[in-house]
């Protein structure tokens, strides 16, 4: 197939080159380049804002938005001669020739990079879409963990745009559900030098304020909430319980997050991420619960040289197993307990070569499924491995056994949605229906907890619909919620906040 890529040749960027290189790796695809100057480009004052952010935050100048010579594109793609089979329009100005389909890229329904930046400046999580004039070919709600840094947010969105286009070209482009799709009203697609100057001033002021605040407080400081179950759980309540939550105490020098309980013959054991503020690193700790609550404080049971979190623990084949998050290694590893709740030894690497977050396993229909959000653009060691959100791109794998071998879903990424892609706990079956706790990270990481009904899970595709969003409130105050789990006797959530700094001789 001959693909014509229409882009603004007035400012070629690294993400354009990366996209074309990735397309050319597909068998049977050739690329023609239409790179005359086009509409929708960023104004010069946006470039000044990006430069200021790079200077203040010491950002590398090698990201996907960085300009490159036009010759770099010409070296990998041919000129737009001859009739293409498909036109990929990144500018929004292509007049569709007779008989040749055109896929037009838009952000919140508006074409061009200026529309993407306008959406980010408006504080929204932009919906990126590919449409052919009749239908939506692919769509996703892109996000970032750096909402306050326009350059990083802009580049994270460009990386995920690449993911969306490549998936669509493979015939498996993800699409948002109708309520979250491209039909929503677009934000303003224009901004002035005064707008961006004010943004720059706010950036400087915010950085100074956060620096001063960090001298006396630690944030985010997550905490685990728990309650004994004697009635309906959160999946049934769809709200915080009237009795509220007890808090698992910490010493202020560390926090506990990602609560994963599991029942054994003696009751409930709770596993948590145990994060040291001083070391800026997490280990996995565990504490046993009695009828009245925790019996002591969490004790480390699994440590590594790298950060560990999200201790997905389960029982199978006569043993206890764990797949924690270990994104820094580029692997998802399986551990087995030799002296439960401790004695964890690594049994196998399930998946390698990616930066995956919050791995969640499910045994359903005689098969095992693995859910995780993937940060990079498909190659961990590629040029954009340090860009892209950790939370907006859901990938699936399946296997005949939890030990593998694991096969990627043919439609990965099956969902691009910063509001509902990232896992937030075990998937629960209720009356024949699967409910998946998810993180809503539109405004910030772990801002709210969603509950999604899984509508389809097979080799042909994946679909879910979010039925409830739970936020902090009077019964569990704070600035975020991002995990929900239960055992037969207890239910657990976690939330973020701040604590005053304390000084101690050792962490």
């Amino acid at each position: 197939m001959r693909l014509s890529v229409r882009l603004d040749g007035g400012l070629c960027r690294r993400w354009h080159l990366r996209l074309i290189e990735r397309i050319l790796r597909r068998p049977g695809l050739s690329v023609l380049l239409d790179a005359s100057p086009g509409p929708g480009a960023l104004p010069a004052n946006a470039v000044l804002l990006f430069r200021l952010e790079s200077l203040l935050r010491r950002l590398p100048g090698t990201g996907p938005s960085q300009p490159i010579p036009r010759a770099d594109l010409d070296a990998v793609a041919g000129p737009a001669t001859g009739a293409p089979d498909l036109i990929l329009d990144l500018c929004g100005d292509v007049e569709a020739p007779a008989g040749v389909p055109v896929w037009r890229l838009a952000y919140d329904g508006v074409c061009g990079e200026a529309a993407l930046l306008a959406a980010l400046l408006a504080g929204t999580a932009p919906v990126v879409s590919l449409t052919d004039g009749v239908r939506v070919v692919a769509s996703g709600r892109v996000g970032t963990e750096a909402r306050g840094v326009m350059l990083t947010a802009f580049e994270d969105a460009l990386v995920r745009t690449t993911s969306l286009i490549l998936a669509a070209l493979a015939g498996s482009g993800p699409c948002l559900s109708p309520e979250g799709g491209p039909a929503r009203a677009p934000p303003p697609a224009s901004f002035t030098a005064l707008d961006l100057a004010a943004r720059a001033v706010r950036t400087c002021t915010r950085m100074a304020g956060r620096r001063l605040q960090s001298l006396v407080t630690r944030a985010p400081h997550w905490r685990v909430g728990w309650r004994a179950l004697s009635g309906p759980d959160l999946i049934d309540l769809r709200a915080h319980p009237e009795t509220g939550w007890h808090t698992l105490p910490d010493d202020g020098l560390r926090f506990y997050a990602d609560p994963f309980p599991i029942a054994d013959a003696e009751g409930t054991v709770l596993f948590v991420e145990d994060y040291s503020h001083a070391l800026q690193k997490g280990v996995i700790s565990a504490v046993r619960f009695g009828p009245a609550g925790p019996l002591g404080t969490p004790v480390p049971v699994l440590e590594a040289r790298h950060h560990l979190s999200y201790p997905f623990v389960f029982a199978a084949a006569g043993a206890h197993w764990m797949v924690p998050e270990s994104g820094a290694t580029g692997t998802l590893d399986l551990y087995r307990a030799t002296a439960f709740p401790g004695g964890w030894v690594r049994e196998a690497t399930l998946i390698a070569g990616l930066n995956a977050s919050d791995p969640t396993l499910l045994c359903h229909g005689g098969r095992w499924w693995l859910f995780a959000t993937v940060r990079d653009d498909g190659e961990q060691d590629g040029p954009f491995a340090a860009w892209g959100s950790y939370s907006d791109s859901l990938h699936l794998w399946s296997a005949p056994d939890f030990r593998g071998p694991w096969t990627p879903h043919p439609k990965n990424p099956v969902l691009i949605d910063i509001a509902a892609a990232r896992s937030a706990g075990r998937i629960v079956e209720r009356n024949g229906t699967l409910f998946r706790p998810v993180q809503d990270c539109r405004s910030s990481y772990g801002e709210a907890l969603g509950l999604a009904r899984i509508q389809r899970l097979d080799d042909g595709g994946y679909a879910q619909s979010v039925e409830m969003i739970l936020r902090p409130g009077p019964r569990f105050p704070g600035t975020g919620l991002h995990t929900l789990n239960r055992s037969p006797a207890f239910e657990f959530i976690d939330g973020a906040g701040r604590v005053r700094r304390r000084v101690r001789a050792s962490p």
Side-chain angles (χ1 to χ4, degrees), residues 1 34 88 167 188 210 234 241 289 348 396 445 485:
M1 182 175 74
D34 180 0
L88 176 61
R210 287 178 177 172
L234 242 63
F289 270 61
L396 298 180
Y445 166 69
N485 279 307

Short mmCIF file of all heavy atoms in Angstrom, two decimals, residues 1 34 88 167 188 210 234 241 289 348 396 445 485:
data_model
loop_
_atom_site.label_atom_id
_atom_site.label_comp_id
_atom_site.label_asym_id
_atom_site.label_seq_id
_atom_site.Cartn_x
_atom_site.Cartn_y
_atom_site.Cartn_z
N MET A 1 0.85 -1.20 0.00
CA MET A 1 0.00 0.00 0.00
C MET A 1 0.88 1.24 0.00
O MET A 1 1.86 1.33 0.74
CB MET A 1 -0.91 0.02 1.23
CG MET A 1 -1.86 1.21 1.26
SD MET A 1 -3.03 1.19 2.62
CE MET A 1 -1.96 1.60 4.00
N ASP A 34 4.28 14.51 1.54
CA ASP A 34 3.74 15.81 1.10
C ASP A 34 4.03 16.80 2.23
O ASP A 34 3.29 16.87 3.21
CB ASP A 34 2.25 15.70 0.83
CG ASP A 34 1.63 17.02 0.37
OD1 ASP A 34 2.39 18.01 0.26
OD2 ASP A 34 0.42 17.05 0.14
N LEU A 88 -2.72 10.21 4.81
CA LEU A 88 -2.74 10.54 6.24
C LEU A 88 -2.52 12.03 6.36
O LEU A 88 -1.41 12.53 6.12
CB LEU A 88 -1.66 9.76 6.99
CG LEU A 88 -1.48 10.06 8.46
CD1 LEU A 88 -2.75 9.75 9.24
CD2 LEU A 88 -0.30 9.29 9.03
N ALA A 167 -1.59 2.01 15.29
CA ALA A 167 -2.63 1.00 15.53
C ALA A 167 -3.69 1.04 14.45
O ALA A 167 -4.18 0.00 13.99
CB ALA A 167 -3.25 1.22 16.91
N PRO A 188 -11.33 26.37 22.70
CA PRO A 188 -10.82 27.38 21.77
C PRO A 188 -9.50 26.93 21.16
O PRO A 188 -8.63 26.38 21.84
CB PRO A 188 -10.61 28.61 22.66
CG PRO A 188 -11.51 28.39 23.84
CD PRO A 188 -11.57 26.91 24.05
N ARG A 210 5.92 25.69 45.05
CA ARG A 210 6.12 24.27 45.35
C ARG A 210 7.44 24.02 46.04
O ARG A 210 7.54 23.16 46.92
CB ARG A 210 6.04 23.46 44.05
CG ARG A 210 4.62 23.34 43.50
CD ARG A 210 4.61 22.58 42.20
NE ARG A 210 3.25 22.41 41.71
CZ ARG A 210 2.94 21.90 40.52
NH1 ARG A 210 3.92 21.51 39.70
NH2 ARG A 210 1.69 21.78 40.15
N LEU A 234 -17.90 -1.50 47.88
CA LEU A 234 -17.98 -0.30 47.05
C LEU A 234 -18.59 -0.58 45.69
O LEU A 234 -19.23 0.31 45.10
CB LEU A 234 -16.57 0.30 46.86
CG LEU A 234 -16.39 1.71 47.43
CD1 LEU A 234 -16.59 1.69 48.93
CD2 LEU A 234 -15.00 2.24 47.09
N PRO A 241 -18.60 4.37 52.04
CA PRO A 241 -19.51 3.88 53.08
C PRO A 241 -19.79 4.96 54.11
O PRO A 241 -18.94 5.81 54.39
CB PRO A 241 -18.74 2.70 53.68
CG PRO A 241 -17.31 3.01 53.42
CD PRO A 241 -17.28 3.72 52.09
N PHE A 289 -3.88 -8.96 59.25
CA PHE A 289 -5.04 -8.35 59.89
C PHE A 289 -5.74 -9.38 60.76
O PHE A 289 -5.91 -10.54 60.37
CB PHE A 289 -6.03 -7.85 58.83
CG PHE A 289 -5.79 -6.42 58.40
CD1 PHE A 289 -4.59 -6.06 57.80
CD2 PHE A 289 -6.75 -5.44 58.59
CE1 PHE A 289 -4.36 -4.76 57.40
CE2 PHE A 289 -6.52 -4.14 58.20
CZ PHE A 289 -5.32 -3.78 57.61
N ALA A 348 10.05 -16.13 37.08
CA ALA A 348 10.11 -15.97 35.62
C ALA A 348 9.87 -14.52 35.25
O ALA A 348 9.31 -13.74 36.04
CB ALA A 348 9.06 -16.85 34.94
N LEU A 396 -3.15 -5.49 26.44
CA LEU A 396 -3.56 -6.78 26.97
C LEU A 396 -2.64 -7.88 26.43
O LEU A 396 -2.09 -7.77 25.33
CB LEU A 396 -5.00 -7.12 26.56
CG LEU A 396 -6.13 -6.21 27.02
CD1 LEU A 396 -7.46 -6.74 26.51
CD2 LEU A 396 -6.16 -6.08 28.53
N TYR A 445 -2.39 12.55 38.30
CA TYR A 445 -2.23 11.11 38.51
C TYR A 445 -3.02 10.67 39.74
O TYR A 445 -2.93 11.27 40.81
CB TYR A 445 -0.75 10.77 38.70
CG TYR A 445 -0.54 9.38 39.24
CD1 TYR A 445 -0.83 8.27 38.45
CD2 TYR A 445 -0.09 9.17 40.54
CE1 TYR A 445 -0.66 6.99 38.94
CE2 TYR A 445 0.08 7.89 41.03
CZ TYR A 445 -0.21 6.81 40.24
OH TYR A 445 -0.05 5.54 40.73
N ASN A 485 -9.50 -2.70 46.51
CA ASN A 485 -9.38 -4.15 46.61
C ASN A 485 -10.11 -4.62 47.86
O ASN A 485 -10.37 -3.84 48.78
CB ASN A 485 -7.91 -4.59 46.68
CG ASN A 485 -7.25 -4.65 45.31
OD1 ASN A 485 -7.75 -5.29 44.39
ND2 ASN A 485 -6.11 -3.97 45.17
#
